[in-house]
Amino acid sequence: MNAYSETVFNAKTKIYTGVSSIKNLGPVLQEIGAHRILMVTDQGIKHSGILKNVLGEIPENIEVLIYDEVKPNPDVASIDETANNYRKKEISALVAVGGGSVIDSAKALAIVLTNESSISAYYGFDQYTEKALPLIAIPTTVGTGSESGNAAVITDETDGLKTKKLVFGEDLFPRVAILDASLLRAMPSGLIASTGMDALTHAIEGYVSIWSSHFTDALNLHAVRVIGKSLLPAIAHSENTEAMHGMLLASSITGLGMANSGLGMVHGISHAIGAQYDAPHGIVNAILLPYLLEYNWIANPEKFKEIAEALRVNIEGLSVEEAAKAAVAYVKNLTKEAGIPEKLSAIGISKEHIDVLVDIAFHDAQYMVPNPRKMSRQDIYNILDQSI
C-alpha cells in the first residue's frame, strides 16, 4: 500500500454497542417508520429466551410477524419459499436475531421481498433493481460479522452440485446493528469457541489479504488484538460480560474490515465443505485456519509478525520469519485450547470428496484472488488431505 494504491472503503451501518443497547431497537424502528416487521430467527434463539427479550423492546404500534425456521447454511429454496409466504404481507422492515445464517437469510429476504425473482438471480454485486427493505441486525454469536458487512452467503444447488454463492449490495449493509452482550449470557462455550475462532479467521484473513488497505488493516489487526485477549475468558464463562462484549465488538469490527478487504482460502475451502456437507462454518474455519496460515505466512512475514504481536506472543529476539512462524504456532495452540478438533474427520468430513472440494475451491475467485499466496489445485488438495 502506497500513495499510488487506489482503494475504496465502504461503511453504511449505524452500530449501537454496550449492555442494554437493545433498548435502541424501539426508537430505531419508529425512526424508519416501520409498521409491520418480519422478525427472522431460528429455533435455538426462540427457545433460549433471547427472542422474548428482543420482542419486549418492540413498540405496541408495530405489528410483528415471526419467521423462526432458519437453518444453518441457508439455501435458495428456503429463501424463495419464505419470500413467497411473506411477499404480500406489506413488510416494512426486517429484524434479524441470530448468528450468520439468520442475518444472511434476512439480507436475502430483504432483497427478494421487493424484487420478483429468485435469490439466485442476484449473485454478484448489486444485481437487483428494487431497493431492499431496511434491516436491523442483532447478532447472538461472536463470530458472524454479517451485521456490519454487505454480503449474504447462500447455498446453491445446480446440476446436483452444491456451492456457496454470495450476494453483495449497498442495501445489504444493515441499516442498524445492535451489539448487546447481555443477550449472550447463556451462550454455550462450544458456540463461543467456534464463532470466536470464525471471527479470528475473518480478522487474520482480512489483514493479510492482498486487497487490504490502511483502513481495513486498522480494523482487522485491532480485532485480532481484542480476540486474543477475550476469547479464552469468554469460553470459560459466558457471563464474563467484558470478555463477551470484547468478542462481540471484535466480530463486528472485523466484519466491517473483511467487507472491504476480502478474505482468503480458509473461506474458499470452508465454503466448499459447508456446501457439500452442510458443516458448521465456524468449526470448519477454525480447523482449517492453522493449515492455511502455515501455507500463507511466507507471502507476508512482516504482517504475520504483527499478528504475533497483536496476540501478545513473546517475539523478543526473533527474526521476522521466526516471529511469523510463532504467530502460526500460537493460533494452532489457541484452537486446541478453545476445544476445536484438529482434523475435519472429527466432524464427519471424509476424503472421498476431496477432488470435488478442490474443484469448487479452485474456481472460487472471491477467495482465490485475495489470498496472499497463490494456490494451485495441488496446494488445495494437500491442505485438504492434511486437514482431514
Side-chain angles (χ1 to χ4, degrees), residues 5-294:
S5 299
E6 184 174 328
T7 64
V8 177
F9 185 83
N10 202 357
K12 300 285 186 181
T13 303
K14 185 175 185 178
I15 302 175
Y16 292 93
T17 71
V19 171
S20 299
S21 58
I22 189 62
K23 293 190 179 298
N24 292 287
L25 178 58
V28 165
L29 290 170
Q30 300 280 30
E31 183 181 324
I32 66 177
H35 58 86
R36 181 179 294 121
I37 65 171
L38 178 60
M39 188 82 71
V40 181
T41 190
D42 59 33
Q43 288 292 301
I45 298 301
K46 176 182 177 180
H47 294 299
S48 71
I50 293 175
L51 186 61
K52 182 180 178 181
N53 291 337
V54 174
L55 288 170
E57 301 296 333
I58 307 293
E60 292 183 359
N61 65 330
I62 297 178
E63 183 181 354
V64 182
L65 304 179
I66 299 175
Y67 170 59
D68 57 13
E69 297 295 335
V70 174
K71 301 292 191 297
N73 301 309
D75 59 18
V76 171
S78 65
I79 296 299
D80 290 351
E81 180 182 358
T82 305
N84 288 335
N85 291 340
Y86 289 99
R87 187 170 276 116
K88 296 181 180 179
K89 302 289 187 181
E90 297 183 355
I91 305 297
S92 54
L94 294 94
V95 177
V97 185
S101 293
V102 167
I103 297 173
D104 282 3
S105 294
K107 287 179 176 181
L109 290 170
I111 292 175
V112 181
L113 285 171
T114 59
N115 291 270
E116 296 299 320
S117 298
S118 163
I119 189 62
S120 61
Y122 309 119
Y123 300 150
F125 291 84
D126 294 314
Q127 296 299 306
Y128 49 89
T129 55
E130 299 300 321
K131 191 169 180 62
L133 290 171
L135 168 65
I136 292 92
I138 305 170
T140 62
T141 68
V142 294
T144 167
S146 186
E147 71 276 0
S148 52
N150 64 337
V153 182
I154 305 297
T155 299
D156 179 284
E157 184 170 2
T158 302
D159 297 329
L161 181 66
K162 290 183 179 181
T163 57
K164 288 200 175 187
K165 302 291 189 180
L166 279 82
V167 180
F168 292 93
E170 290 292 301
D171 290 353
L172 292 190
F173 282 106
R175 183 78 60 89
V176 169
I178 298 175
L179 313 181
D180 188 339
S182 68
L183 297 175
L184 280 59
R185 285 177 176 149
M187 190 174 174
S189 61
L191 188 58
I192 296 171
S194 63
T195 59
M197 287 300 301
D198 190 17
L200 183 62
T201 303
H202 295 158
I204 292 177
E205 285 210 293
Y207 187 60
V208 301
S209 164
I210 66 171
W211 292 344
S212 66
S213 69
H214 287 293
F215 291 100
T216 64
D217 279 359
L219 291 165
N220 286 323
L221 190 60
H222 182 66
V224 171
R225 188 175 296 112
V226 175
I227 293 167
K229 179 176 68 174
S230 304
L231 178 58
L232 293 180
I235 292 171
H237 209 310
S238 62
E239 291 193 18
N240 182 333
T241 304
E242 286 299 325
M244 292 297 289
H245 176 70
M247 288 303 303
L248 194 54
L249 263 63
S251 172
S252 196
I253 288 167
T254 192
L256 182 56
M258 70 176 176
N260 288 276
S261 65
L263 295 168
M265 283 305 289
V266 173
H267 275 74
I269 298 172
S270 175
H271 277 191
I273 292 170
Q276 295 305 301
Y277 286 92
D278 200 27
H281 178 69
I283 293 178
V284 175
N285 275 353
I287 294 172
L288 288 171
L289 181 59
Y291 296 95
L292 268 298
L293 295 186
E294 254 179 348

Side-chain angles (χ1 to χ4, degrees), residues 290-364:
Y291 296 95
L292 268 298
L293 295 186
E294 254 179 348
Y295 176 83
N296 280 329
W297 77 265
I298 67 169
N300 200 330
E302 185 64 40
K303 275 199 166 183
F304 275 81
K305 169 181 173 285
E306 291 162 357
I307 289 168
E309 291 172 329
L311 290 170
R312 301 177 297 172
V313 178
N314 183 2
I315 59 171
E316 186 177 354
L318 300 184
S319 67
V320 171
E321 290 75 15
E322 289 168 338
K325 291 180 183 180
V328 175
Y330 182 90
V331 172
K332 187 173 184 178
N333 186 65
L334 182 61
T335 61
K336 189 179 301 183
E337 294 284 353
I340 302 297
E342 185 179 348
K343 300 287 186 179
L344 291 164
S345 55
I347 58 170
I349 312 302
S350 64
K351 293 191 177 186
E352 62 180 316
H353 290 153
I354 285 185
D355 289 337
V356 172
L357 295 173
V358 169
D359 194 55
I360 295 170
F362 183 75
H363 288 100
D364 196 338

